[in-house]
Amino acid sequence: TTSFQAVVFGSYVGDGTQYRTVSLGFRPRFVILMGEQSGDSRFFDFGAEGVTRCPINLVSNGFTLLSLYNNFSLVNSSGKKYTYIAFP
Protein backbone atom coordinates (compact mmCIF):
# COMPACT_ATOMS: atom_id res chain seq x y z
CA THR A 1 0.00 0.00 0.00
CA THR A 2 1.29 3.43 -0.90
CA SER A 3 -0.03 6.54 0.77
CA PHE A 4 -0.03 9.81 -1.12
CA GLN A 5 -0.35 13.31 0.23
CA ALA A 6 -1.23 15.93 -2.37
CA VAL A 7 1.07 18.77 -3.28
CA VAL A 8 0.17 22.23 -2.03
CA PHE A 9 -0.06 25.25 -4.31
CA GLY A 10 -0.11 28.76 -2.90
CA SER A 11 1.07 32.31 -3.27
CA TYR A 12 2.11 35.34 -1.26
CA VAL A 13 3.00 38.97 -1.87
CA GLY A 14 6.51 39.89 -0.77
CA ASP A 15 6.83 42.22 2.21
CA GLY A 16 10.54 42.99 1.90
CA THR A 17 11.53 41.52 5.28
CA GLN A 18 14.77 39.59 5.62
CA TYR A 19 13.16 36.44 7.08
CA ARG A 20 9.67 35.21 6.33
CA THR A 21 8.05 31.87 7.08
CA VAL A 22 5.29 30.49 4.89
CA SER A 23 3.19 28.10 7.01
CA LEU A 24 1.92 24.92 5.39
CA GLY A 25 1.08 22.76 8.41
CA PHE A 26 3.73 20.18 7.47
CA ARG A 27 7.44 19.97 6.65
CA PRO A 28 7.82 19.88 2.88
CA ARG A 29 10.43 17.73 1.19
CA PHE A 30 10.70 20.00 -1.84
CA VAL A 31 9.48 23.53 -2.67
CA ILE A 32 9.46 25.27 -6.03
CA LEU A 33 9.15 29.06 -5.91
CA MET A 34 8.33 31.30 -8.87
CA GLY A 35 8.01 35.05 -8.74
CA GLU A 36 7.72 38.20 -10.78
CA GLN A 37 10.55 40.69 -10.72
CA SER A 38 10.35 43.59 -13.16
CA GLY A 39 8.47 43.84 -16.41
CA ASP A 40 8.27 40.38 -17.97
CA SER A 41 11.19 39.08 -15.90
CA ARG A 42 10.48 36.02 -13.72
CA PHE A 43 12.36 34.42 -10.83
CA PHE A 44 12.64 30.70 -10.08
CA ASP A 45 14.26 28.90 -7.15
CA PHE A 46 13.78 25.76 -5.07
CA GLY A 47 14.44 24.30 -1.65
CA ALA A 48 14.89 20.59 -0.95
CA GLU A 49 15.76 18.22 1.87
CA GLY A 50 19.51 18.09 2.27
CA VAL A 51 20.15 21.19 0.14
CA THR A 52 21.94 23.95 1.95
CA ARG A 53 23.16 27.36 0.91
CA CYS A 54 19.93 28.46 -0.74
CA PRO A 55 17.38 31.15 0.17
CA ILE A 56 14.60 28.65 0.91
CA ASN A 57 14.94 26.66 4.14
CA LEU A 58 12.52 23.84 4.88
CA VAL A 59 11.16 23.94 8.44
CA SER A 60 8.75 21.81 10.48
CA ASN A 61 5.62 23.72 9.47
CA GLY A 62 6.53 25.07 6.01
CA PHE A 63 9.49 27.01 4.64
CA THR A 64 11.46 30.09 5.60
CA LEU A 65 12.68 32.61 3.06
CA LEU A 66 16.07 34.22 3.56
CA SER A 67 15.65 37.39 1.54
CA LEU A 68 19.21 38.62 1.79
CA TYR A 69 20.93 35.32 1.05
CA ASN A 70 24.16 36.04 -0.89
CA ASN A 71 23.01 39.67 -1.28
CA PHE A 72 19.93 38.66 -3.29
CA SER A 73 16.47 39.74 -2.26
CA LEU A 74 14.55 37.87 -4.93
CA VAL A 75 12.42 35.61 -2.71
CA ASN A 76 10.53 38.29 -0.77
CA SER A 77 10.77 41.59 -2.65
CA SER A 78 8.18 44.05 -1.41
CA GLY A 79 5.00 44.12 -3.51
CA LYS A 80 6.02 41.25 -5.82
CA LYS A 81 3.78 38.18 -6.18
CA TYR A 82 5.28 34.72 -5.63
CA THR A 83 3.72 31.33 -6.32
CA TYR A 84 4.94 28.10 -4.74
CA ILE A 85 4.42 24.37 -5.05
CA ALA A 86 5.26 22.35 -1.93
CA PHE A 87 5.71 18.58 -1.96
CA PRO A 88 5.18 16.66 1.31
PDB file of all heavy atoms in Angstrom, residues 10-17 20 22 36 65 75-84:
ATOM      1  N   GLY A  10       0.278  27.543  -3.600  1.00  0.00           N
ATOM      2  CA  GLY A  10      -0.108  28.756  -2.901  1.00  0.00           C
ATOM      3  C   GLY A  10       0.655  29.946  -3.442  1.00  0.00           C
ATOM      4  O   GLY A  10       1.475  29.828  -4.361  1.00  0.00           O
ATOM      5  N   SER A  11       0.363  31.099  -2.856  1.00  0.00           N
ATOM      6  CA  SER A  11       1.065  32.308  -3.265  1.00  0.00           C
ATOM      7  C   SER A  11       1.126  33.285  -2.104  1.00  0.00           C
ATOM      8  O   SER A  11       0.403  33.137  -1.115  1.00  0.00           O
ATOM      9  CB  SER A  11       0.368  32.953  -4.464  1.00  0.00           C
ATOM     10  OG  SER A  11      -0.921  33.399  -4.101  1.00  0.00           O
ATOM     11  N   TYR A  12       1.993  34.261  -2.238  1.00  0.00           N
ATOM     12  CA  TYR A  12       2.105  35.344  -1.258  1.00  0.00           C
ATOM     13  C   TYR A  12       2.643  36.572  -1.973  1.00  0.00           C
ATOM     14  O   TYR A  12       3.209  36.478  -3.061  1.00  0.00           O
ATOM     15  CB  TYR A  12       3.010  34.946  -0.079  1.00  0.00           C
ATOM     16  CG  TYR A  12       4.452  34.705  -0.451  1.00  0.00           C
ATOM     17  CD1 TYR A  12       5.393  35.734  -0.405  1.00  0.00           C
ATOM     18  CD2 TYR A  12       4.881  33.448  -0.849  1.00  0.00           C
ATOM     19  CE1 TYR A  12       6.719  35.502  -0.758  1.00  0.00           C
ATOM     20  CE2 TYR A  12       6.201  33.213  -1.198  1.00  0.00           C
ATOM     21  CZ  TYR A  12       7.112  34.246  -1.153  1.00  0.00           C
ATOM     22  OH  TYR A  12       8.419  34.032  -1.510  1.00  0.00           O
ATOM     23  N   VAL A  13       2.436  37.721  -1.356  1.00  0.00           N
ATOM     24  CA  VAL A  13       2.996  38.966  -1.867  1.00  0.00           C
ATOM     25  C   VAL A  13       4.158  39.325  -0.958  1.00  0.00           C
ATOM     26  O   VAL A  13       4.017  39.347   0.269  1.00  0.00           O
ATOM     27  CB  VAL A  13       1.939  40.094  -1.881  1.00  0.00           C
ATOM     28  CG1 VAL A  13       2.571  41.415  -2.294  1.00  0.00           C
ATOM     29  CG2 VAL A  13       0.801  39.728  -2.824  1.00  0.00           C
ATOM     30  N   GLY A  14       5.313  39.577  -1.545  1.00  0.00           N
ATOM     31  CA  GLY A  14       6.506  39.886  -0.766  1.00  0.00           C
ATOM     32  C   GLY A  14       6.317  41.114   0.102  1.00  0.00           C
ATOM     33  O   GLY A  14       5.645  42.076  -0.290  1.00  0.00           O
ATOM     34  N   ASP A  15       6.916  41.070   1.295  1.00  0.00           N
ATOM     35  CA  ASP A  15       6.828  42.216   2.206  1.00  0.00           C
ATOM     36  C   ASP A  15       8.186  42.870   2.454  1.00  0.00           C
ATOM     37  O   ASP A  15       8.296  43.809   3.228  1.00  0.00           O
ATOM     38  CB  ASP A  15       6.174  41.821   3.528  1.00  0.00           C
ATOM     39  CG  ASP A  15       6.928  40.743   4.293  1.00  0.00           C
ATOM     40  OD1 ASP A  15       8.095  40.431   3.924  1.00  0.00           O
ATOM     41  OD2 ASP A  15       6.370  40.206   5.259  1.00  0.00           O
ATOM     42  N   GLY A  16       9.233  42.368   1.806  1.00  0.00           N
ATOM     43  CA  GLY A  16      10.543  42.990   1.900  1.00  0.00           C
ATOM     44  C   GLY A  16      11.329  42.680   3.156  1.00  0.00           C
ATOM     45  O   GLY A  16      12.440  43.178   3.317  1.00  0.00           O
ATOM     46  N   THR A  17      10.792  41.843   4.060  1.00  0.00           N
ATOM     47  CA  THR A  17      11.526  41.516   5.281  1.00  0.00           C
ATOM     48  C   THR A  17      12.632  40.513   4.980  1.00  0.00           C
ATOM     49  O   THR A  17      12.576  39.770   3.998  1.00  0.00           O
ATOM     50  CB  THR A  17      10.589  40.945   6.368  1.00  0.00           C
ATOM     51  OG1 THR A  17       9.934  39.785   5.855  1.00  0.00           O
ATOM     52  CG2 THR A  17       9.547  41.969   6.791  1.00  0.00           C
ATOM     53  N   ARG A  20      11.118  35.376   6.383  1.00  0.00           N
ATOM     54  CA  ARG A  20       9.672  35.207   6.326  1.00  0.00           C
ATOM     55  C   ARG A  20       9.376  33.721   6.255  1.00  0.00           C
ATOM     56  O   ARG A  20       9.959  33.002   5.441  1.00  0.00           O
ATOM     57  CB  ARG A  20       9.106  35.907   5.096  1.00  0.00           C
ATOM     58  CG  ARG A  20       7.612  35.730   4.960  1.00  0.00           C
ATOM     59  CD  ARG A  20       7.076  36.471   3.786  1.00  0.00           C
ATOM     60  NE  ARG A  20       5.637  36.345   3.734  1.00  0.00           N
ATOM     61  CZ  ARG A  20       4.865  37.120   3.029  1.00  0.00           C
ATOM     62  NH1 ARG A  20       5.389  38.091   2.297  1.00  0.00           N
ATOM     63  NH2 ARG A  20       3.564  36.947   3.022  1.00  0.00           N
ATOM     64  N   VAL A  22       6.561  30.820   5.507  1.00  0.00           N
ATOM     65  CA  VAL A  22       5.287  30.485   4.890  1.00  0.00           C
ATOM     66  C   VAL A  22       4.826  29.190   5.550  1.00  0.00           C
ATOM     67  O   VAL A  22       5.497  28.155   5.456  1.00  0.00           O
ATOM     68  CB  VAL A  22       5.430  30.304   3.367  1.00  0.00           C
ATOM     69  CG1 VAL A  22       4.122  29.851   2.742  1.00  0.00           C
ATOM     70  CG2 VAL A  22       5.928  31.602   2.730  1.00  0.00           C
ATOM     71  N   GLU A  36       7.508  37.122  -9.820  1.00  0.00           N
ATOM     72  CA  GLU A  36       7.718  38.202 -10.779  1.00  0.00           C
ATOM     73  C   GLU A  36       8.837  39.092 -10.268  1.00  0.00           C
ATOM     74  O   GLU A  36       9.085  39.169  -9.074  1.00  0.00           O
ATOM     75  CB  GLU A  36       6.438  39.007 -10.959  1.00  0.00           C
ATOM     76  CG  GLU A  36       5.977  39.685  -9.689  1.00  0.00           C
ATOM     77  CD  GLU A  36       4.672  40.453  -9.861  1.00  0.00           C
ATOM     78  OE1 GLU A  36       3.830  40.042 -10.662  1.00  0.00           O
ATOM     79  OE2 GLU A  36       4.519  41.453  -9.166  1.00  0.00           O
ATOM     80  N   LEU A  65      11.980  31.899   4.125  1.00  0.00           N
ATOM     81  CA  LEU A  65      12.681  32.608   3.057  1.00  0.00           C
ATOM     82  C   LEU A  65      13.767  33.465   3.660  1.00  0.00           C
ATOM     83  O   LEU A  65      13.530  34.182   4.635  1.00  0.00           O
ATOM     84  CB  LEU A  65      11.691  33.492   2.296  1.00  0.00           C
ATOM     85  CG  LEU A  65      10.475  32.747   1.763  1.00  0.00           C
ATOM     86  CD1 LEU A  65       9.382  33.720   1.396  1.00  0.00           C
ATOM     87  CD2 LEU A  65      10.870  31.893   0.578  1.00  0.00           C
ATOM     88  N   VAL A  75      13.483  36.487  -3.199  1.00  0.00           N
ATOM     89  CA  VAL A  75      12.423  35.606  -2.714  1.00  0.00           C
ATOM     90  C   VAL A  75      11.352  36.301  -1.882  1.00  0.00           C
ATOM     91  O   VAL A  75      10.354  35.685  -1.520  1.00  0.00           O
ATOM     92  CB  VAL A  75      12.993  34.417  -1.907  1.00  0.00           C
ATOM     93  CG1 VAL A  75      13.839  33.521  -2.793  1.00  0.00           C
ATOM     94  CG2 VAL A  75      13.766  34.884  -0.696  1.00  0.00           C
ATOM     95  N   ASN A  76      11.531  37.583  -1.574  1.00  0.00           N
ATOM     96  CA  ASN A  76      10.529  38.285  -0.772  1.00  0.00           C
ATOM     97  C   ASN A  76      10.551  39.792  -1.044  1.00  0.00           C
ATOM     98  O   ASN A  76      10.386  40.604  -0.142  1.00  0.00           O
ATOM     99  CB  ASN A  76      10.757  38.003   0.723  1.00  0.00           C
ATOM    100  CG  ASN A  76       9.560  38.395   1.565  1.00  0.00           C
ATOM    101  OD1 ASN A  76       8.429  38.350   1.113  1.00  0.00           O
ATOM    102  ND2 ASN A  76       9.824  38.780   2.786  1.00  0.00           N
ATOM    103  N   SER A  77      10.741  40.173  -2.289  1.00  0.00           N
ATOM    104  CA  SER A  77      10.774  41.586  -2.652  1.00  0.00           C
ATOM    105  C   SER A  77       9.411  42.228  -2.406  1.00  0.00           C
ATOM    106  O   SER A  77       8.375  41.666  -2.777  1.00  0.00           O
ATOM    107  CB  SER A  77      11.150  41.760  -4.127  1.00  0.00           C
ATOM    108  OG  SER A  77      12.451  41.275  -4.365  1.00  0.00           O
ATOM    109  N   SER A  78       9.414  43.374  -1.793  1.00  0.00           N
ATOM    110  CA  SER A  78       8.176  44.054  -1.413  1.00  0.00           C
ATOM    111  C   SER A  78       7.269  44.302  -2.619  1.00  0.00           C
ATOM    112  O   SER A  78       7.701  44.809  -3.651  1.00  0.00           O
ATOM    113  CB  SER A  78       8.515  45.382  -0.738  1.00  0.00           C
ATOM    114  OG  SER A  78       7.342  46.011  -0.288  1.00  0.00           O
ATOM    115  N   GLY A  79       6.006  43.882  -2.478  1.00  0.00           N
ATOM    116  CA  GLY A  79       5.003  44.120  -3.505  1.00  0.00           C
ATOM    117  C   GLY A  79       5.002  43.152  -4.667  1.00  0.00           C
ATOM    118  O   GLY A  79       4.117  43.208  -5.511  1.00  0.00           O
ATOM    119  N   LYS A  80       5.953  42.220  -4.717  1.00  0.00           N
ATOM    120  CA  LYS A  80       6.023  41.250  -5.816  1.00  0.00           C
ATOM    121  C   LYS A  80       5.238  39.995  -5.441  1.00  0.00           C
ATOM    122  O   LYS A  80       5.242  39.552  -4.301  1.00  0.00           O
ATOM    123  CB  LYS A  80       7.471  40.863  -6.132  1.00  0.00           C
ATOM    124  CG  LYS A  80       8.358  42.032  -6.482  1.00  0.00           C
ATOM    125  CD  LYS A  80       7.945  42.670  -7.776  1.00  0.00           C
ATOM    126  CE  LYS A  80       8.899  43.797  -8.123  1.00  0.00           C
ATOM    127  NZ  LYS A  80       8.529  44.455  -9.356  1.00  0.00           N
ATOM    128  N   LYS A  81       4.572  39.395  -6.423  1.00  0.00           N
ATOM    129  CA  LYS A  81       3.783  38.181  -6.184  1.00  0.00           C
ATOM    130  C   LYS A  81       4.641  36.947  -6.440  1.00  0.00           C
ATOM    131  O   LYS A  81       5.370  36.875  -7.434  1.00  0.00           O
ATOM    132  CB  LYS A  81       2.558  38.130  -7.080  1.00  0.00           C
ATOM    133  CG  LYS A  81       1.702  36.915  -6.807  1.00  0.00           C
ATOM    134  CD  LYS A  81       0.457  36.882  -7.651  1.00  0.00           C
ATOM    135  CE  LYS A  81      -0.335  35.625  -7.330  1.00  0.00           C
ATOM    136  NZ  LYS A  81      -1.535  35.519  -8.147  1.00  0.00           N
ATOM    137  N   TYR A  82       4.545  35.979  -5.536  1.00  0.00           N
ATOM    138  CA  TYR A  82       5.277  34.715  -5.627  1.00  0.00           C
ATOM    139  C   TYR A  82       4.285  33.557  -5.567  1.00  0.00           C
ATOM    140  O   TYR A  82       3.319  33.610  -4.808  1.00  0.00           O
ATOM    141  CB  TYR A  82       6.280  34.578  -4.480  1.00  0.00           C
ATOM    142  CG  TYR A  82       7.342  35.647  -4.518  1.00  0.00           C
ATOM    143  CD1 TYR A  82       7.131  36.872  -3.902  1.00  0.00           C
ATOM    144  CD2 TYR A  82       8.529  35.441  -5.200  1.00  0.00           C
ATOM    145  CE1 TYR A  82       8.094  37.860  -3.954  1.00  0.00           C
ATOM    146  CE2 TYR A  82       9.502  36.424  -5.255  1.00  0.00           C
ATOM    147  CZ  TYR A  82       9.268  37.630  -4.630  1.00  0.00           C
ATOM    148  OH  TYR A  82      10.226  38.620  -4.684  1.00  0.00           O
ATOM    149  N   THR A  83       4.545  32.532  -6.340  1.00  0.00           N
ATOM    150  CA  THR A  83       3.725  31.329  -6.324  1.00  0.00           C
ATOM    151  C   THR A  83       4.634  30.156  -5.977  1.00  0.00           C
ATOM    152  O   THR A  83       5.773  30.104  -6.429  1.00  0.00           O
ATOM    153  CB  THR A  83       3.111  31.088  -7.721  1.00  0.00           C
ATOM    154  OG1 THR A  83       2.336  32.240  -8.077  1.00  0.00           O
ATOM    155  CG2 THR A  83       2.213  29.866  -7.727  1.00  0.00           C
ATOM    156  N   TYR A  84       4.130  29.250  -5.143  1.00  0.00           N
ATOM    157  CA  TYR A  84       4.941  28.102  -4.741  1.00  0.00           C
ATOM    158  C   TYR A  84       4.167  26.799  -4.915  1.00  0.00           C
ATOM    159  O   TYR A  84       2.941  26.784  -4.927  1.00  0.00           O
ATOM    160  CB  TYR A  84       5.432  28.236  -3.291  1.00  0.00           C
ATOM    161  CG  TYR A  84       4.328  28.336  -2.273  1.00  0.00           C
ATOM    162  CD1 TYR A  84       3.703  27.200  -1.762  1.00  0.00           C
ATOM    163  CD2 TYR A  84       3.899  29.573  -1.810  1.00  0.00           C
ATOM    164  CE1 TYR A  84       2.684  27.293  -0.825  1.00  0.00           C
ATOM    165  CE2 TYR A  84       2.895  29.697  -0.866  1.00  0.00           C
ATOM    166  CZ  TYR A  84       2.291  28.546  -0.385  1.00  0.00           C
ATOM    167  OH  TYR A  84       1.270  28.648   0.538  1.00  0.00           O
TER     168      TYR A  84
END
